[in-house]
Amino acid sequence: MFSWLGKQGGGRERGGAGGDVVQTVTGGLRDLYLRKLLPLEEHYRFHDFHSPALEEADFENKPMVLLVGQYSTGKTTFIRYLLEQDFPGMRIGPEPTTDSFIAVMYGDSEGNVPGNALVVDPKKPFRKLSRFGNAFLNRFMCSQLPNEVLKSISIIDSPGILSGEKQRISRGYDFCQVLQWFAERVDRIILLFDAHKLDISDEFSEAIKSFRGQDDKIRVVLNKADQVDTQQLMRVYGALMWSLGKVINTPEVLRVYIGSFWAHPLRNTENRRLFEAEAQDLFRDIQSLPQKAAVRKLNDLIKRARLAKVHAYIISYLKKEMPSVFGKENKKKELISRLPEIYIQLQREYHISAGDFPEVNKMQELLETCDFTKFHSLKPKLIEAVDNMLANKIASLMSLISQEESNMPTEMVHGGAFDGTMAGPFGHGYGEGVKEGADEDEWVVAKDKPAYDEIFYTLSPINGKISGISAKKEMVTSKLPNSVLGKIWKLADCDGDGMLDDEEFALAKHLIKIKLDGYELPGTLPSHLVPPSHRKPLQTAE
């Protein structure tokens, strides 16, 4: 997709016009940030309040997936399932085993890089994590290994979340702040739940709240769903949605993938088809990350720019309200207590959405330690530069991204578990629905044709065919909508004469059965479903 997919971690490089486009988009993002946005951030101390400055590696790195969940929900096993091999530093067990953040990334040879060494590597996007101190860095490592999946994405495994205040304090670093740092930079956040462990602890609740503003990145996986039967699974799913609704305050319902993500036999097979479909949807979502990485990075830059603008308005307002000589400390306390009112005032004055403002309690806490007299007044030129970037420059980059996507082959994640779901008899949907009989010599409809023939001859065929009116009387008994039946008619009427012979009628009944079984109808009739008596004329017409 971008150069960070081609030149880092053993990815495929591309040359020619397509490679030029990649370099242009990557350079465009970095150039916009350095020239337009960074001066505004530095002038109003944005990095002290919200997020550290972006570096080269932040623009060049591969898409990242962050796994978060309580202990023993299968986070590390999920990574093992995707990679189909162990990775250095991996520990799996029913007790809380993963006590570190592990960045699983591509490397030419297997090995671990400790946190203190990792944050000084300019090629890795983790340098700004050094601000969390040794307590965190001693619990942070990079696990490198040569794996096809990791050529396209990197995966961040997080410590299992426990309940109780003691565990939160004993970490020695601000766990939620670290999660927030990763959330701002990853492409996908996957929350894992165990079908037997749906309670959301206080720390897990705080962790989810730290993802505020990143809701579009969040996906939920209900793991180990094969350990319950269908009736229990319905109750578990309902309980999970209820628990999430109390923590995640969004009008949209989060996408929940249900399955058992490990390479062991299913304990309960009655929902096998559901698990396969859900796994396929999740794999498709992860596989698309390299293709969408450019738009995601652009979207994150826009969100950052909007927050930086609001921050500038807040800081400059506080500076303007400060007295020049006496009563500075009392005025500071008054302004901090009035911050919610100041937010409303700035919303009205600059026509800003309330959702663009930082969390008021956190902002009040950070302002307590600041010297307001050292803040800067509003500089319209810095604001205008960011407005120009949002109004004009971003549109140019979007057109470049569209050009890149049209000129270059689609970049997908390959290898590991992803290859096992793409093709062959064990691919999702193989031999089911419309695809049934695709690899057989005999016409798949033939096995049910005697039963269909009995119905056909009760409809009084003339010269071996029934009219549309006669066919309709039988087809509407399926209770399918007319729009669906109309499509089935078009597919079954192979010669387009407005009538159906016995084979065409049998085909129509077969397509109705496919639809009633919950499968989709094809846009055009596959060659293996064409009735035998209609195949030769069809080939001649071609």
Side-chain angles (χ1 to χ4, degrees):
M1 181 71 184
F2 270 18
S3 60
W4 57 75
L5 294 181
K7 296 193 174 180
Q8 288 220 333
R12 295 179 289 277
E13 294 188 17
R14 295 189 179 107
D20 293 338
V21 174
V22 175
Q23 294 295 337
T24 304
V25 176
T26 309
L29 279 169
R30 184 174 57 247
D31 186 55
L32 277 182
Y33 176 72
L34 294 176
R35 289 195 304 108
K36 304 287 187 180
L37 188 53
L38 186 59
L40 180 73
E41 292 183 354
E42 291 177 335
H43 194 68
Y44 295 103
R45 297 174 57 186
F46 177 86
H47 308 135
D48 296 336
F49 287 84
H50 304 290
S51 178
L54 298 179
E55 295 188 328
E56 181 85 14
D58 291 311
F59 296 98
E60 300 289 339
N61 68 299
K62 293 191 284 286
M64 293 190 289
V65 178
L66 172 65
L67 299 181
V68 181
Q70 299 184 140
Y71 74 93
S72 193
T73 53
K75 296 186 299 298
T76 306
T77 305
F78 182 80
I79 299 175
R80 171 69 178 78
Y81 176 70
L82 293 182
L83 302 182
E84 291 189 343
Q85 73 175 95
D86 295 344
F87 56 89
M90 183 185 83
R91 290 174 60 207
I92 296 174
E95 75 282 4
T97 50
T98 303
D99 61 348
S100 304
F101 280 87
I102 303 177
V104 186
M105 308 181 79
Y106 185 88
D108 293 327
S109 59
E110 288 194 16
N112 288 328
V113 180
N116 282 287
L118 199 58
V119 296
V120 296
D121 185 351
K123 294 181 180 179
K124 296 287 193 295
F126 306 121
R127 282 161 57 100
K128 296 298 182 180
L129 283 170
S130 59
R131 70 188 178 100
F132 293 107
N134 279 328
F136 166 71
L137 295 179
N138 291 334
R139 289 283 181 264
F140 180 45
M141 60 181 283
C142 177
S143 175
Q144 295 182 321
L145 67 156
N147 185 282
E148 191 70 24
V149 173
L150 299 176
K151 287 183 178 181
S152 302
I153 60 172
S154 299
I155 306 173
I156 311 296
D157 191 10
S158 63
I161 297 174
L162 300 158
S163 57
E165 189 67 23
K166 182 180 177 182
Q167 286 81 5
R168 183 165 19 202
I169 294 171
S170 65
R171 291 192 192 276
Y173 61 90
D174 194 326
F175 180 68
C176 291
Q177 282 290 313
V178 174
L179 284 180
Q180 184 178 352
W181 188 94
F182 276 110
E184 291 171 356
R185 287 158 179 80
V186 301
D187 296 71
R188 189 66 77 235
I189 301 166
I190 297 180
L191 305 179
L192 276 99
F193 289 86
D194 185 329
H196 290 100
K197 197 181 298 178
L198 297 177
D199 59 306
I200 298 179
S201 66
D202 292 343
E203 190 179 30
F204 197 11
S205 176
E206 291 299 315
I208 293 174
K209 288 175 183 176
S210 70
F211 299 144
R212 178 177 178 264
Q214 311 295 337
D215 304 319
D216 56 317
K217 298 179 182 179
I218 298 177
R219 303 291 184 271
V220 178
V221 169
L222 178 56
N223 200 13
K224 305 181 184 181
D226 63 321
Q227 297 181 11
V228 295
D229 59 32
T230 303
Q231 186 180 20
Q232 291 172 325
L233 184 59
M234 290 175 64
R235 293 172 179 165
V236 166
Y237 181 81
L240 174 60
M241 298 307 291
W242 180 79
S243 298
L244 287 171
K246 295 195 300 180
V247 180
I248 301 177
N249 297 317
T250 58
E252 301 85 6
V253 176
L254 287 175
R255 175 66 165 97
V256 178
Y257 299 91
I258 304 170
S260 182
F261 296 95
W262 66 344
H264 291 270
L266 297 176
R267 295 187 183 180
N268 195 321
T269 59
E270 61 186 84
N271 292 310
R272 184 187 185 98
R273 272 187 61 188
L274 171 65
F275 298 158
E276 289 175 354
E278 293 286 282
Q280 188 69 19
D281 287 349
L282 179 59
F283 285 170
R284 195 177 294 117
D285 183 66
I286 296 174
Q287 280 184 300
S288 69
L289 292 180
Q291 185 183 2
K292 298 175 180 176
V295 176
R296 198 278 301 169
K297 289 178 188 293
L298 192 61
N299 185 52
D300 282 354
L301 188 67
I302 294 170
K303 284 197 287 188
R304 188 182 180 99
R306 292 169 69 92
L307 179 59
K309 271 183 60 181
V310 170
H311 179 77
Y313 288 134
I314 296 170
I315 296 300
S316 59
Y317 181 89
L318 296 175
K319 169 67 176 178
K320 183 181 69 173
E321 293 295 308
M322 287 297 289
S324 55
V325 184
F326 301 111
K328 293 180 181 179
E329 196 59 34
N330 288 335
K331 187 64 177 178
K332 173 184 171 180
K333 290 179 181 178
E334 179 200 330
L335 288 171
I336 292 175
S337 65
R338 285 185 48 236
L339 195 60
E341 300 169 29
I342 293 171
Y343 275 18
I344 295 171
Q345 185 177 336
L346 292 175
Q347 287 173 37
R348 292 171 179 167
E349 185 176 350
Y350 296 104
H351 308 290
I352 304 170
S353 169
D356 288 346
F357 281 78
E359 189 179 349
V360 67
N361 292 334
K362 179 185 173 185
M363 196 69 180
Q364 286 173 321
E365 185 181 328
L366 292 169
L367 287 169
E368 291 281 357
T369 59
C370 295
D371 183 354
F372 287 15
T373 60
K374 292 182 179 179
F375 288 166
H376 293 293
S377 301
L378 190 65
K379 268 190 151 185
K381 283 189 177 180
L382 290 176
I383 299 290
E384 287 170 10
V386 174
D387 284 337
N388 177 55
M389 179 189 82
L390 293 173
N392 302 313
K393 304 296 184 182
I394 294 295
S396 301
L397 275 179
M398 280 301 298
S399 64
L400 276 173
I401 292 171
S402 300
Q403 180 186 347
E404 176 190 343
E405 290 178 347
S406 60
N407 290 346
M408 301 172 70
T410 303
E411 183 74 31
M412 298 282 281
V413 180
H414 294 285
F418 297 100
D419 285 352
T421 62
M422 289 182 181
F426 296 99
H428 177 64
Y430 185 91
E432 299 176 2
V434 174
K435 298 176 183 177
E436 182 185 359
D439 55 357
E440 298 176 8
D441 294 331
E442 186 180 356
W443 189 38
V444 69
V445 185
K447 64 179 184 294
D448 296 320
K449 191 169 181 295
Y452 298 149
D453 282 346
E454 288 183 18
I455 301 172
F456 177 78
Y457 288 111
T458 64
L459 300 174
S460 306
I462 301 173
N463 297 325
K465 293 191 174 187
I466 58 172
S467 65
I469 295 175
S470 299
K472 180 180 178 180
K473 290 178 182 177
E474 172 59 30
M475 291 172 70
V476 295
T477 61
S478 67
K479 299 182 181 179
L480 289 172
N482 284 346
S483 58
V484 175
L485 294 175
K487 184 174 183 179
I488 291 173
W489 172 268
K490 288 180 180 178
L491 292 170
D493 187 11
C494 298
D495 52 16
D497 64 352
M499 304 183 79
L500 301 181
D501 60 24
D502 60 324
E503 288 185 339
E504 290 174 322
F505 178 77
L507 173 60
K509 294 290 288 182
H510 180 74
L511 293 172
I512 287 173
K513 181 175 178 292
I514 287 173
K515 188 63 182 176
L516 291 175
D517 286 344
Y519 298 100
E520 292 301 316
L521 296 173
T524 56
L525 192 66
S527 57
H528 71 279
L529 286 183
V530 176
S533 64
H534 290 267
R535 288 179 183 178
K536 287 185 180 180
L538 190 65
Q539 291 172 352
T540 305
E542 290 179 352

